[in-house]
Amino acid sequence: VHGSYVVKSVLEFTSDRKRMSVVCETPTGEMLLASKGADNVMRPRLKEGAPHIAEMETHLKTFSEEGLRTLIYAQRILARSEYEEWDARYQAARRLLGDERARQLE
């Protein structure tokens, strides 16, 4: 698809989250969530039965046996209402302080 993607939200990598995510509005108006992170953090967040899981597991095992570090990249389309509800909660959490902020931003 040709056109511009508009970055709506960025969740930076932290050592606690061990992943980073970005939400973009695509040229077709869809809300795209894209995340990358450590396999042990991302794997539980993948939808069971999603395509290529078995193949991914095989590659992760092979790469780890070779001593290589790995990241998992995943993406999905969000309903605009789902994004807007999440963004409202995220913005409220960003205004908190201390441990409660960290817990809410997770």
Side-chain angles (χ1 to χ4, degrees), residues 30-101:
E30 293 178 308
M31 303 303 286
L32 174 69
L33 167 63
S35 298
K36 70 173 183 174
D39 55 358
N40 65 322
V41 173
M42 292 290 291
R43 177 60 183 98
R45 289 171 170 76
L46 299 178
K47 181 179 178 182
E48 288 303 321
H52 311 294
I53 296 269
E55 182 181 5
M56 177 197 69
E57 296 286 357
T58 299
H59 289 303
L60 288 173
K61 184 175 185 293
T62 300
F63 295 152
S64 69
E65 288 170 351
E66 294 176 12
L68 300 174
R69 293 179 57 188
T70 59
L71 292 174
I72 291 177
Y73 170 85
Q75 66 182 39
R76 78 175 179 102
I77 300 297
L78 303 173
R80 186 169 295 275
S81 61
E82 182 181 10
Y83 167 72
E84 290 169 353
E85 289 170 15
W86 170 84
D87 189 54
R89 289 191 316 271
Y90 179 70
Q91 296 306 325
R94 289 182 62 196
R95 292 187 285 273
L96 297 173
L97 298 175
D99 292 340
E100 182 62 15
R101 174 187 168 117

Side-chain angles (χ1 to χ4, degrees), residues 1-42:
V1 173
H2 298 303
S4 297
Y5 285 71
V6 178
V7 175
K8 297 298 214 174
S9 300
V10 175
L11 285 83
E12 298 290 342
F13 176 90
T14 67
S15 57
D16 291 330
R17 290 183 73 239
K18 297 182 183 172
R19 66 187 185 279
M20 78 164 293
S21 303
V22 63
V23 178
C24 297
E25 185 171 1
T26 70
T28 60
E30 293 178 308
M31 303 303 286
L32 174 69
L33 167 63
S35 298
K36 70 173 183 174
D39 55 358
N40 65 322
V41 173
M42 292 290 291

